Amino acid sequence: MPEWLVEPGIGEDRAILVDHGTIVAARVCWREPWRAGAVSVARLDHRYPGSKRGAVHMPDGTIATIDALPADVTHGATLMVRITRAALAEQGRFKLAQCRAAGDAAAAPAPAPSLAETLAQTGSPVRILGGLDRSFDEAGWDDLIEQAQTGAIDFPGGRLTISPTPAMTLIDIDGPPPLLPLALASVPAIARTLARLDIAGSVGIDFPGQDTRADRQAIDLALDAALAATGWHGERTGMNGFGFVQLITRLERASLVARLAFHPARAAAHALLRQAERVAGPGTLMLVAHPAVLAAIAPPLEAELARRTGRLVRKDPRNTLALHAGFAQATTS
């Protein structure tokens, strides 16, 4: 039976759903306070005339958009809200967190559920790993992260290219003709990739153009079957005459692709902290990385690394290193 493995790291919790040694789904949580499921008192800052939408101030000053506002809630009023989507970074802009009026008179302020608590609701067993466990490495986590970083996923006969955009996540399919076999071969890879890279929201798939309606219908049927096999839930369009299909499903958090594309230094910092926690041998922990990566390690994260390892921590910034080329080592000098 597939099992969720959860690794609570420094600044980041990560999880993989493993089936027969293979990662079939993955999630990452950076412990943002206003994640889906958080409940809090908020103050209505603005209401769009004639609508149920507006903006609220959370207790820490964070602004979130709100929907389903009760008719009697006016500017300056306080109300209980439930976060439905975390804030998202995109190319050239930032999307605020989204919330709704809690609606439940008995609702009380509560933090967002942890990653493990959220996964427990999926029906698959959840196992928490220790910091030195190597299950992620054995299941192929590094390969998964490389796919998320590059957006390139190879399949027999072709390649998928994943591109996060402000409008949607785009999936392009490249490969040699004949085009119908290429499109059909890409379908299982697309369905697997959505789960493995935690891609949700609006997704556009640009299939190779097909000459006949029968060919387009064959791809539609194959896509339906592949998505159902992965447990995907949402709506989609049929393929149009240009080979384009749109998928729409609930969006609660950034995908792995988006996190690495729009927060590369922070992602690299979390990876460096995880590596540092596992350094063997005595001495001070030296973190060697690009200055932007070291700057993303906030003092509380550095303090947590020192607490977990029982070591002093020093930083060695090197401009010549790529963001994800940092490393940690023990030093006695």
Side-chain angles (χ1 to χ4, degrees):
M1 181 179 182
E3 179 185 36
W4 281 105
L5 305 181
V6 179
E7 186 181 277
I10 300 174
E12 173 187 88
D13 297 334
R14 59 181 185 171
I16 51 176
L17 182 62
V18 178
D19 188 12
H20 295 94
T22 299
I23 298 174
V24 296
R27 293 194 191 176
V28 167
C29 174
W30 285 355
R31 302 177 193 157
E32 303 91 337
W34 305 118
R35 307 189 307 276
V39 178
S40 174
V41 173
R43 178 176 58 84
L44 183 62
D45 185 62
H46 177 75
R47 181 170 189 151
Y48 298 107
S51 80
K52 295 182 178 181
R53 296 182 58 81
V56 297
H57 264 90
M58 308 303 290
D60 63 354
T62 298
I63 299 175
T65 61
I66 186 168
D67 197 3
L69 274 169
D72 59 347
V73 177
T74 58
H75 174 79
T78 59
L79 71 163
M80 196 73 70
V81 301
R82 179 174 285 106
I83 301 295
T84 57
R85 192 205 68 197
L88 301 175
E90 293 181 338
Q91 189 66 46
R93 68 174 183 175
F94 182 80
K95 284 186 176 179
L96 300 174
Q98 290 182 349
C99 65
R100 296 174 67 91
D104 182 357
S114 68
L115 181 56
E117 290 169 339
T118 299
L119 296 176
Q121 300 173 13
T122 66
S124 296
V126 177
R127 180 157 56 97
I128 309 297
L129 304 180
L132 301 181
D133 193 287
R134 297 290 181 175
S135 296
F136 274 67
D137 299 335
E138 295 166 0
W141 176 260
D142 288 343
D143 291 339
L144 181 71
I145 290 301
E146 182 178 1
Q147 290 180 341
Q149 287 174 337
T150 63
I153 294 93
D154 292 324
F155 63 89
R159 167 174 284 191
L160 306 179
T161 301
I162 316 295
S163 304
T165 77
M168 63 180 65
T169 301
L170 291 177
I171 302 178
D172 189 44
I173 298 148
D174 293 307
L179 298 184
L180 178 58
L182 172 64
L184 291 173
S186 73
V187 166
I190 291 169
R192 289 194 300 267
T193 296
L194 294 176
R196 280 170 53 86
L197 299 184
D198 197 20
I199 297 172
S202 182
V203 180
I205 308 173
D206 187 16
F207 284 98
Q210 303 298 314
D211 294 331
T212 70
R213 182 181 179 186
D215 288 349
R216 294 193 291 272
Q217 289 177 333
I219 298 168
D220 279 335
L221 290 173
L223 183 59
D224 281 340
L227 292 173
T230 64
W232 183 87
H233 298 287
E235 299 180 7
R236 74 171 189 85
T237 65
M239 180 182 291
N240 67 19
F242 300 98
F244 190 79
V245 175
Q246 185 175 3
L247 311 179
I248 301 175
T249 189
R250 184 176 180 179
L251 179 63
E252 295 184 345
R253 58 193 171 270
S255 68
L256 269 66
V257 176
R259 288 187 187 276
L260 290 167
F262 302 123
H263 299 287
R266 186 175 179 183
H270 292 156
L272 179 61
L273 289 167
R274 180 169 282 105
Q275 181 191 142
E277 190 178 0
R278 296 172 172 175
V279 168
T284 298
L285 268 180
M286 181 69 73
L287 307 181
V288 184
H290 189 279
V293 175
L294 297 179
I297 301 176
L301 300 184
E302 184 175 338
E304 176 66 9
L305 175 62
R307 185 193 68 78
R308 290 193 183 197
T309 61
R311 302 172 186 251
L312 294 175
V313 178
R314 294 171 55 194
K315 298 177 181 177
D316 181 4
R318 298 188 188 180
N319 286 299
T320 56
L321 286 177
L323 289 181
H324 290 276
F327 59 92
Q329 61 185 13
T331 176
T332 56
S333 59

